[in-house]
Amino acid sequence: MNTTTRHDKALELDKILAMLADCAGSDDARERALALRPVTDLGEARREMQLTADANMLSSRFGTPAFSRLKNVKGMLRRAELGTSLSLRELLDVASVLRAVRTLYDWRRHCDEVSTSLDYMFSGLSPQRHLEDSITAAIVSEEMVDDHASAELANIRRKIRGAGLSVKNQLDRLIHSSAYQKFLQDSIVTMRDGRYVVPVKAEYRGEIKGLVHDTSSSGATVFVEPLGVVEANNEIRVLQSKEKAEIERIIAELSAAVGEYAPGIGQDYDTLVELDLIFAKSKLADSMRASVPELAGEGETVLKKARHPMIDKKQVVPTDIYLGGAFDTLVITGPNTGGKTVSLKTLGLFTLMAQCGLMLPAADGSRVRVFERVLADIGDEQSIEQSLSTFSAHMTNLISILELADSSTLVLIDELGAGTDPVEGAALAVAILESLREKGAKVAATTHYSELKLYALETDRVENACCEFDVASLRPTYKLSIGVPGRSNAFAISQRLGLEESVIRRAKELVSEENSRFEDVVSRLDEARQDLQKDLDEAARLRREAEEDRKAVREYKERLDRDKERELERARGESRRIIETVRADAEKIIGELEEIRRRQNAEDFAQRVSEAKSRLKGSVNSLYDEADPVTLQNQENYKLPRPLRRGDTVFVTAAGREGTVLSLPDNAGNVQVQAGIMKLKVNQKALRLVESTKPRKAPSGSVSKKAVSRSERSASAEVDLRGMTAEEAIMELDRYLDNAVMSGVPVVTVIHGKGTGVLRNAVQQHLRRHRNVKTFRLGVYGEGESGVTIVELK
């Protein structure tokens, strides 16, 4: 066993690799898992970790591809390439690899278009569907070729079945003949040496002419091929020879095809094994609830909430371990079975796992430094064969570690200086730590010696740590506390186990006063640390609760805002529907009043009707404005920095969105604002001017400034086209009608004037062809008569 393997085994890497092998599907991938060794190059380590992380991401999103029942076909491929015919079993194994290649290739193609570090392997696969189908269609099992593997084979087997049926029919007539039944041992047809025969009693051998092919063990029965079927049996044997030759030809043809594609299939197989191992790492990560650590070539190793994978998940307590930042040497103290060795192994094992491309059972944000060597002296290395004591075995290991250690080495020592005189052991332990520190190595060591606790307190870049131990249950928690020296708890544990009080009291008297004071200080420090930890845990709990409450409030507010917006749109739509219904009814009434007016000659009657019409229209317009909930919002005190102008960008506080000013304020202070596809009539008090740092560009095109300004008012119930050419009027009318339809206005008035009638005719001709126009008519008295056209929209 080489040095690297011995140190890795001391940290239980072999057990982790065995768990990894159990996650692999193929035998070759399992062998590669067991032979996996940590890489020491940072770039290579990061590449291996990225491959595992990407495989885990793909598995979590699209499921894990299957790699089971893969057999190594490299030897078969080499023989096929040399022209050797493969067996049916070997051809089926090749087909199994081809099927796995195709399945994996298709699996990756059906994943989302997400780029991963695995893509070069997937894209390198070369599915050979034709060859795969040729093999699976021709071979039924490892002992049989399908009838339809070739037309010749199907023809030969059809003839064999026909000839066999003819022979059996002849023999059936013979065995059922009354003349021959007394000569037969049984009335059956059987086969010997591939030929159809009948069992004849030995004493009647001469009664049935034919060839004897076999005799029963008792000698009472001979198996005779009657002369009448000899020729037919010979024909069957000839056909069987042809069948064998055709099968050999088919196999040779398939083997040649395999040999032709052998290099590509061999590369694909290697890729399958590599992907199998990578996805096995992903499976292991899932079983450990592992995360991806950051890998670095120097600096600090930080393990957050690390859980040793070999300890029962119900017992292990996540712990934080860090080394290489504020300190390079960590001295871990505490009672026996207190978890010191577990902390040591966790640090070393996680470093090796990360360098093998394995994700770590630790929290996100963990960081691992890549070392060239991880050297460990852990456990009882006593060797009876070598006649070495425990101390001698430890010292032998430490000597080899001191020879190999340098600035790229992580050294882990369990029970440093144990196994000899305490005074000499403590002095030797300090000297070993100093030597390792001079070489630049990162060191973590466990000990019971108080001298090492003092050494860590007094020495720069050396830190104490302790493992918590529950005296009440006499069980370790495996939680490491860095910055605090540990207590042995020998007296407390002995008392808990039932040792007499007088013995414990006497033992305390024998402890030196200096050591007693040191242990008291450590005890008080540990109690203070535990109290502080409780406060920190409580603060963390309260912070989590506050974050949860804040999140709930934020989600509730967002839900209210969405509900408010939906209700606002619903109310606005409903109000428009009601007002348009009222407007339509009012216009109908006005039309009726006009009809009445025509029948009356009195001028005062016409005046009263006109006044009533004006009042009704004014009331309807006022009601329409009030129906928009936006205009009813209470606004906070805000003054516009300057008067509004057309084209200004404003924020509509009630609608919660920005818009563009389309018209100047009217007498009531209301302006029209384009907000998305909606045009709103909003009081300027409800607007906030949005000052833009970019100059606004003048609108381009051939439409006149007058046309543009009129277009800005297109959400109103009328459009004025007077003064425009026919072409300009049609363009403006199209723009206006589109906006009116989007704004939900059912009836609009087009003002074109009386004049020569050219503009009116152009407008009405266009209205006849417009997709959104339901009907139109000229205005009546009071509406503008022939100077306007009233349009009802769909």
Side-chain angles (χ1 to χ4, degrees):
M1 182 182 296
N2 60 51
T3 303
T4 302
T5 304
R6 175 167 57 82
H7 291 290
D8 294 350
K9 186 174 182 180
L11 294 169
E12 300 181 307
L13 179 63
D14 58 323
K15 296 180 181 179
I16 301 299
L17 297 182
M19 295 169 61
L20 175 63
D22 290 339
C23 296
S26 61
D27 292 339
D28 283 1
R30 280 189 283 270
E31 291 179 5
R32 290 185 58 179
L34 293 173
L36 199 62
R37 290 293 172 263
V39 297
T40 57
D41 178 73
L42 176 61
E44 188 177 357
R46 284 177 172 171
R47 174 183 172 277
E48 293 295 324
M49 184 62 72
Q50 189 61 51
L51 291 173
T52 305
D54 287 345
N56 191 255
M57 179 273 293
L58 290 174
S59 294
S60 63
R61 293 179 60 180
F62 310 108
T64 303
F67 295 92
S68 57
R69 297 186 299 276
L70 280 180
K71 290 188 178 180
N72 191 332
V73 295
K74 303 291 283 295
M76 309 172 196
L77 296 174
R78 282 193 294 271
R79 287 192 288 110
E81 200 170 6
L82 293 173
T84 303
S85 291
L86 303 180
S87 67
L88 296 181
R89 177 70 267 168
E90 289 173 332
L91 286 171
L92 288 175
D93 288 341
V94 172
S96 178
V97 171
L98 292 174
R99 183 167 53 254
V101 170
R102 174 177 54 83
T103 302
L104 193 62
Y105 183 81
D106 292 342
W107 176 85
R108 182 63 184 96
R109 275 191 359 182
H110 287 87
C111 297
D112 288 346
E113 293 295 329
V114 54
S115 178
T116 71
S117 60
L118 296 165
D119 289 348
Y120 79 95
M121 282 187 275
F122 284 107
S123 61
L125 295 174
S126 302
Q128 303 294 339
R129 184 63 182 266
H130 175 72
L131 179 58
E132 176 194 345
D133 290 345
S134 298
I135 295 175
T136 54
I139 302 176
V140 178
S141 68
E142 58 185 276
E143 297 178 351
M144 184 172 182
V145 175
D146 191 90
D147 288 358
H148 302 286
S150 73
E152 180 65 19
L153 181 62
N155 184 46
I156 291 172
R157 286 184 172 173
R158 184 171 60 254
K159 291 180 178 179
I160 290 175
R161 287 191 293 271
L165 183 61
S166 175
V167 170
K168 286 200 294 183
N169 288 337
Q170 292 183 52
L171 294 179
D172 280 340
R173 287 195 296 270
L174 185 148
I175 64 177
H176 291 101
S177 170
S178 57
Y180 291 101
Q181 280 188 345
K182 61 183 177 180
F183 305 136
L184 301 177
Q185 195 71 260
D186 293 299
S187 297
I188 60 172
V189 177
T190 184
M191 293 191 76
R192 286 295 185 274
D193 298 328
R195 304 177 75 87
Y196 289 101
V197 295
V198 292
V200 180
K201 296 178 182 177
E203 60 268 27
Y204 297 115
R205 160 67 188 85
E207 300 298 331
I208 297 180
K209 305 299 181 182
L211 305 176
V212 176
H213 286 279
D214 196 7
T215 304
S216 66
S217 58
S218 64
T221 305
V222 292
F223 296 93
V224 178
E225 178 186 9
L227 290 178
V229 298
V230 170
E231 188 60 32
N233 273 330
N234 287 340
E235 181 184 356
I236 291 175
R237 294 302 292 270
V238 171
L239 289 172
Q240 287 174 341
S241 297
K242 291 182 178 180
E243 176 191 29
K244 182 179 178 182
E246 179 63 15
I247 289 174
E248 290 175 350
R249 187 195 66 79
I250 292 171
I251 293 175
E253 185 177 287
L254 292 175
S255 299
V258 170
E260 181 181 352
Y261 293 103
I265 299 173
Q267 292 176 3
D268 286 348
Y269 177 77
D270 291 337
T271 301
L272 287 178
V273 173
E274 186 173 359
L275 286 170
D276 187 4
L277 179 61
I278 293 171
F279 278 92
K281 293 179 181 180
S282 172
K283 288 182 184 178
L284 182 63
D286 288 338
S287 68
M288 293 180 176
R289 304 195 307 275
S291 64
V292 179
E294 176 190 354
L295 298 182
E298 57 184 17
E300 185 177 19
T301 291
V302 178
L303 302 179
K304 298 180 178 180
K305 299 188 181 302
R307 308 177 304 277
H308 195 289
M310 302 306 299
I311 300 178
D312 188 350
K313 296 177 182 178
K314 298 179 181 179
Q315 296 182 2
V316 64
V317 175
T319 187
D320 296 335
I321 305 174
Y322 43 96
L323 175 68
F327 52 89
D328 300 320
T329 302
L330 188 64
V331 177
I332 306 174
T333 51
N336 287 329
T337 69
K340 301 189 303 298
T341 304
V342 171
S343 298
L344 210 62
K345 286 185 175 182
T346 301
L347 176 59
L349 178 61
F350 278 34
T351 300
L352 296 175
M353 287 175 62
Q355 293 180 212
C356 287
L358 297 174
M359 294 164 61
L360 305 181
D364 292 335
S366 295
R367 185 176 189 270
V368 176
R369 175 180 169 180
V370 175
F371 291 94
E372 289 188 8
R373 285 172 295 277
V374 178
L375 307 177
D377 178 53
I378 297 176
D380 187 359
E381 296 291 341
Q382 183 174 356
S383 172
I384 298 176
E385 294 180 359
Q386 298 178 11
S387 299
L388 295 176
S389 66
T390 301
F391 178 75
S392 298
H394 282 306
M395 287 310 302
T396 301
N397 287 341
L398 289 174
I399 291 170
S400 64
I401 288 174
L402 287 169
E403 292 175 351
L404 295 172
D406 57 19
S407 59
S408 299
T409 305
L410 173 63
V411 178
L412 307 169
I413 306 174
D414 190 27
E415 299 296 347
L416 179 60
T420 187
D421 178 76
V423 176
E424 293 180 354
L428 194 59
V430 171
I432 291 173
L433 288 181
E434 289 180 344
S435 176
L436 290 171
R437 293 183 65 238
E438 288 176 359
K439 294 175 180 290
K442 302 296 183 286
V443 184
T446 67
T447 184
H448 283 288
Y449 294 137
S450 297
E451 290 83 353
L452 287 183
K453 300 177 188 178
L454 290 172
Y455 173 74
L457 288 172
E458 296 172 350
T459 307
D460 186 34
R461 300 194 64 78
V462 181
E463 188 61 86
N464 272 302
C466 68
C467 287
E468 294 183 1
F469 186 84
D470 188 352
V471 177
S473 64
L474 297 180
R475 290 183 178 179
T477 66
Y478 301 106
K479 187 173 183 180
L480 185 68
S481 298
I482 297 178
V484 180
R487 300 158 53 195
S488 67
N489 289 318
F491 294 154
I493 294 174
S494 300
Q495 187 176 21
R496 181 70 180 170
L497 292 173
L499 187 62
E500 294 181 8
E501 184 66 30
S502 59
V503 176
I504 295 174
R505 188 166 49 252
R506 176 55 181 161
K508 289 181 178 179
E509 294 174 355
L510 294 176
V511 175
S512 68
E513 183 178 352
E514 181 180 350
N515 283 340
S516 180
R517 284 199 306 270
F518 180 76
E519 288 295 329
D520 289 341
V521 170
V522 170
S523 178
R524 289 194 297 270
L525 184 61
D526 187 52
E527 291 174 359
R529 182 193 58 77
Q530 292 183 14
D531 292 339
L532 178 60
Q533 187 61 48
K534 290 179 181 178
D535 293 340
L536 289 175
D537 292 342
E538 179 65 16
R541 184 186 65 81
L542 294 174
R543 184 167 59 254
R544 286 194 302 271
E545 292 179 356
E547 287 294 334
E548 292 173 358
D549 292 343
R550 188 180 298 110
K551 181 180 178 182
V553 170
R554 183 170 61 253
E555 292 175 350
Y556 181 69
K557 182 178 181 301
E558 291 174 354
R559 189 165 60 252
L560 286 180
D561 290 341
R562 290 193 298 269
D563 293 344
K564 173 184 174 183
E565 184 65 23
R566 283 197 299 269
E567 288 300 315
L568 189 65
E569 290 299 324
R570 188 194 63 78
R572 187 178 290 115
E574 182 66 16
S575 66
R576 283 178 179 148
R577 185 190 63 78
I578 294 171
I579 296 307
E580 291 304 330
T581 301
V582 173
R583 185 185 293 276
D585 291 342
E587 289 180 352
K588 181 179 179 182
I589 294 172
I590 292 173
E592 293 174 353
L593 291 176
E594 285 292 336
E595 184 66 23
I596 295 172
R597 189 199 64 78
R598 292 193 191 95
R599 297 176 183 177
Q600 300 294 329
N601 296 322
E603 294 183 0
D604 58 339
F605 180 83
Q607 182 178 357
R608 286 195 298 272
V609 170
S610 178
E611 291 173 354
K613 180 178 66 174
S614 299
R615 287 195 301 273
L616 180 56
K617 283 191 174 182
S619 299
V620 169
N621 288 333
S622 175
L623 183 58
Y624 189 90
D625 291 340
E626 292 177 359
D628 190 346
V630 173
T631 64
L632 301 179
Q633 298 291 329
N634 294 325
Q635 306 297 330
E636 60 185 3
N637 294 327
Y638 172 82
K639 291 184 179 180
L640 292 168
R642 60 172 175 78
L644 293 175
R645 295 191 293 267
R646 290 189 183 94
D648 281 342
T649 299
V650 293
F651 183 81
V652 184
T653 57
R657 62 174 62 185
E658 288 186 359
T660 303
V661 175
L662 299 180
S663 66
L664 296 177
D666 58 16
N667 294 333
N670 295 328
V671 297
Q672 282 191 339
V673 177
Q674 179 80 46
I677 64 171
M678 296 188 302
K679 290 189 178 180
L680 307 175
K681 195 170 190 179
V682 189
N683 193 282
Q684 60 182 346
K685 293 181 180 179
L687 301 178
R688 303 290 182 267
L689 184 62
V690 178
E691 292 291 348
S692 175
T693 57
K694 298 180 180 179
R696 303 184 65 86
K697 295 182 179 179
S700 60
S702 61
V703 181
S704 65
K705 182 177 180 181
K706 182 178 181 180
V708 173
S709 65
R710 284 172 176 159
S711 174
E712 293 170 348
R713 299 191 296 273
S714 60
S716 64
E718 62 182 32
V719 59
D720 190 352
L721 305 179
R722 290 175 297 181
M724 299 184 188
T725 66
E727 183 179 353
E728 290 176 341
I730 295 304
M731 292 176 61
E732 175 64 16
L733 181 59
D734 271 339
R735 189 182 301 109
Y736 168 76
L737 291 177
D738 289 342
N739 289 335
V741 170
M742 287 190 293
S743 300
V745 180
V747 179
V748 299
T749 300
V750 181
I751 304 173
H752 41 65
K754 298 180 180 179
T756 62
V758 174
L759 185 58
R760 178 181 64 244
N761 292 335
V763 167
Q764 293 189 351
Q765 287 294 331
H766 186 67
L767 290 174
R768 286 189 180 92
R769 298 189 301 270
H770 201 284
R771 64 183 183 279
N772 292 323
V773 174
K774 185 177 182 182
T775 62
F776 64 88
R777 62 176 174 81
L778 284 175
V780 297
Y781 181 80
E783 292 178 331
E785 300 179 348
S786 61
V788 301
T789 297
I790 309 301
V791 183
E792 183 180 359
L793 300 177
K794 293 181 180 178

